[in-house]
Amino acid sequence: MNGDRKLRLGVAGLGRAFTVMLPTLARDPRVALVAAADPRAEARERFAADFGAKTYATVAELCADPAVEAVYVATPHQHHAAHTRLAAQAGKHVLVEKPIALTLDDARAMIAAARAAGIHLIVGHSHSFDAPILRTRALIDGGDFGAVRMIAALNYTDYLYRPRRPEELDTAQGGGALFNQAPHQVDVVRLLGGGRVKSVRAATGAWDASRPTEGAYAALLTFETGAFASLAYGGYGNFDSDELQGWIGEMGQPKAPAARAAQTFAGAGEEAAFKNARNYGGANYRPPAEQALQHQHFGPVIVSCDKADLRPLPNGVMIYQHGTARLEQLAPPALPRAEVVDELYAAVVHGRPPLHDGAWAMATLEVCLAMLRSAREGADVTLHHQVGLP
Ligand SMILES: NC(=O)c1ccc[n+]([C@@H]2O[C@H](COP(=O)([O-])OP(=O)(O)OC[C@H]3O[C@@H](n4cnc5c(N)ncnc54)[C@H](O)[C@@H]3O)[C@@H](O)[C@H]2O)c1
């Protein structure tokens, strides 16, 4: 760590998002997990045992803990705004999960609270933090391949059939693919396309009446530069686009091309209880397996520049040019999602402004909301809150 100190992190919400970040937060030498808050007693007990750290039933108490200098807000979307405000008012830096919020007004209020408190607000993890995406962006910035003209991104998963809380199946409460999956894909595409989307046209699919929220979408994004991007997402558990990624899964893990059996539940209560039991501290919680990983991804992406097509992959970036293909290899990650700590640590400890700040995430949310609106109205939607890359 070159004499640098550890960043003292408190966690708000010990659910699925936390367990996905846990291998990073527990093993990255730059981070000390010093406290957590969750209403679930079993999660608090496990956290206290695993990290010898303090736990609280409420986020307000967590934010009052002087040992905490930054809070990872990993509570359900509807709490992001209030929990970010609490942390900011207590002078803590904030890493808040995607999507930043459910409305642009809430996002704006979070940005204002961060600014008033003089703290950094970072939104993630999203898959635009993935090293192959950042490397592709660096190759574009290098200038050898010319301007970005077109991006194609697709992802086919079993998203809709993973165990859910009731609100995750209700679009009005932040459920569905547009609030939960599109923030990743839009963030990736915006990062590669330069950030500033001019207009959006989209169609959405909600095809299973028993899970009545969007499970699929297609969208065309046009950038201010004239570049355009097509996004396709299918979450109905049939085709699995990891087949096109060499059977490397979203978390960078090797994956068997096995059929996915959807779980069935007697009702929403049983499903939520099943999800909770698998969460941190629950009876069926299993820590993530430690295995050799490649880089994480959010499905196949191809970036067409003037002079080459670039394709980020779990092990590097393929460059297609003049009828040849070569791999710009990336070393396997020592830790998954270390890029999130890179950005958080640089901001909190070294005062370096983050890329994935509140304004960046609000622009991604604006695109996701515009996709919903475009599908509803059958029309193009013009955007007004876009920001570019620093
Ligand atoms: N980046 C990613 O890969 C990723 C993955 C999963 C979830 N997420 C995001 O993380 C957030 C949480 O989703 P999840 O799937 O982890 O949900 P979850 O239901 O698995 O976990 C939520 C946790 O928050 C706790 N909680 C609820 N209300 C709380 C409160 N008022 N104060 C403190 N804790 C509270 C719950 O007890 C639970 O432990 C969402 O915004 C989601 O989009 C991101």
Side-chain angles (χ1 to χ4, degrees), residues 170-194:
D170 176 3
T171 309
Q173 296 186 69
L178 278 297
F179 282 112
N180 293 279
Q181 299 290 281
H184 286 297
Q185 205 175 33
V186 168
D187 236 37
V188 165
V189 162
R190 284 188 56 239
L191 193 113
L192 296 171

Side-chain angles (χ1 to χ4, degrees), residues 78-148:
Q78 63 270 27
H79 300 300
H80 288 183
H83 290 164
T84 296
R85 198 162 46 243
L86 278 174
Q89 284 167 353
K92 318 292 186 189
H93 300 281
V94 175
L95 169 67
V96 58
E97 269 296 346
K98 51 79 342 226
I100 180 172
L102 296 177
T103 66
L104 295 182
D105 280 347
D106 272 353
R108 210 175 278 115
M110 292 160 74
I111 294 165
R115 193 167 296 141
I119 56 106
H120 288 292
L121 170 61
I122 301 174
V123 183
H125 166 265
S126 90
H127 282 287
S128 68
F129 281 89
D130 296 345
I133 300 296
L134 296 174
R135 183 70 194 130
T136 305
R137 181 67 241 174
L139 288 171
I140 295 165
D141 290 339
D144 288 349
F145 304 115
V148 172

